[in-house]
Amino acid sequence: MQRAAPQEFDRVLSSMCTRPHPAARKAAERFFATNPGDPATYQAVAALEEDALSYLGDITGLSAPHGYVTSGGTEANIQAIRAARNHARDDDPNVVAPESIHFSFQKAADVLDVELRIVPVDDDYRANVAAVREAVDDHTVLVAGVAGTTEFGRVDPIPELTAVAHDAGALMHVDAAWGGFILPFTDHEWSFAHAPIDSMTIDPHKYGQAVVPAGGLLFRDKSVVDSLAVDTPYLESASQASLTGTRSGAGVASAAAAMRELWPDGYRDAYERQQTNAEWFYDELRSRGYDAVEPDLPLVAASVPDGQFESLRDLGWRISRTASGELRIVCMPHVSRESLRAFLSDLDDLRSG
Ligand code: 0PR
């Protein structure tokens, strides 16, 4: 089996990490010994975190964003649930989410001792609004939707889900960890500009082209994020809302640098190029007789026989499968047309061999 070198991305087709933008890499190097968890001591990186938040607000349609740069989507999702729970002060809280939700919600429910109610998706892998409406009750503190699902790249009906959440007296969270840097260039209704959602996960270390670790958590209302704060008596800074204590200055600085370089034109170019690649790849698979899921965002899923899948892995392709077994190809910014052509050529050899 061939193993990819640590920073080699040529054969990495199913990951949601990508090659960082050169400006992001440079910023990370400058700030890797700083701690945004103590903003009064590390003021330069704290200012960059403010810049990063303000860019994230521009991208998601939120004019005065509250929140912070997390270690990733998992921390952001845990904290969104924790904030909703603390804010509601319910003694038996539950969260309602579609089955397409990322597995970080299972971790969150476990850590926070909150009941997670998973409801079915529709035929196009999107949250079924009627099923969500059935599942909410007086103890629902949060409804979650996904804008760019991990397995199929689908966008849930966010305005409809938000109405259901608010009717039930719950907060609405959107997980745009992967989709957040792609969706501004589509017609989808996914953001704070399209619905009065309460919080969002959007990760610079995925499509945002920052270095790892750099996730994003945004809140519309300050009182919700304040419900996360604990006092920090012996630090220069008086309280902390983040889950981790010491945080990555490299991640924060790189996120700010990537967004400064790429928002909006660079991200639009990446989306347009990769969406075109995904559609091309989908057509190529279909013309070979494979059953494939049409790419709404730059992610293609297709049924490929086990033997071919394993052989492609043995040839060094870093690929994975959905829970229902489909091969998934995530057209991240590093996935070139040449790479996809080489992959298809290996597939053709396997088919004829
Ligand atoms: N929300 C969504 C919609 C996600 O897709 C992911 C991760 C998360 C939250 C959690 O984010 P963090 O992993 O930053 O905590 N989605 C990818 C996945 O689970 C993560 C990933 C990235 C996996 C790179 C593999 C990999 O090589 O598939």
Side-chain angles (χ1 to χ4, degrees), residues 84-94 137-141:
R85 184 199 65 177
N86 291 358
H87 192 251
R89 299 169 197 263
D90 193 291
D91 55 5
D92 186 22
N94 69 71
D137 64 17
D138 291 349
H139 294 288
T140 304
V141 298

Side-chain angles (χ1 to χ4, degrees), residues 75-266:
E75 180 184 343
N77 288 337
I78 291 172
Q79 289 279 83
I81 297 180
R82 181 173 161 231
R85 184 199 65 177
N86 291 358
H87 192 251
R89 299 169 197 263
D90 193 291
D91 55 5
D92 186 22
N94 69 71
V95 170
V96 178
E99 61 186 313
S100 53
I101 206 81
H102 185 256
F103 55 72
S104 48
F105 275 73
Q106 310 280 358
K107 299 181 186 177
D110 188 23
V111 171
L112 295 166
D113 199 19
V114 165
E115 182 198 348
L116 181 58
R117 297 186 177 170
I118 297 289
V119 303
V121 292
D122 65 16
D123 292 347
D124 193 32
Y125 312 100
R126 292 157 32 105
N128 179 326
V129 178
V132 172
R133 194 179 292 116
E134 282 275 291
V136 296
D137 64 17
D138 291 349
H139 294 288
T140 304
V141 298
L142 189 78
V143 172
V146 195
T149 58
T150 313
E151 294 197 320
F152 297 106
R154 288 305 193 251
V155 181
D156 287 334
I158 302 301
E160 291 82 352
L161 292 175
T162 306
V164 171
H166 290 173
D167 284 350
L171 298 181
M172 176 69 201
H173 177 71
V174 174
D175 184 353
W178 178 70
F181 289 88
I182 304 168
L183 289 161
F185 313 108
T186 70
D187 293 334
H188 286 288
E189 300 198 319
W190 65 287
S191 76
F192 291 96
H194 304 106
I197 63 179
D198 299 286
S199 58
M200 181 180 282
T201 295
I202 168 171
D203 287 352
H205 74 197
K206 295 192 171 74
Y207 236 95
Q209 301 177 44
V211 308
V212 178
L217 176 60
L218 300 176
F219 292 94
R220 181 190 291 279
D221 185 351
K222 186 167 182 300
S223 70
V224 182
V225 66
D226 283 350
S227 75
L228 292 170
V230 298
D231 294 340
T232 51
Y234 54 84
L235 295 188
E236 263 206 88
S237 325
S239 78
Q240 204 173 71
S242 54
L243 185 59
T244 61
T246 304
R247 291 190 289 130
S248 172
V252 168
S254 78
M259 291 185 277
R260 192 181 311 119
E261 284 295 315
L262 295 167
W263 171 253
D265 296 345

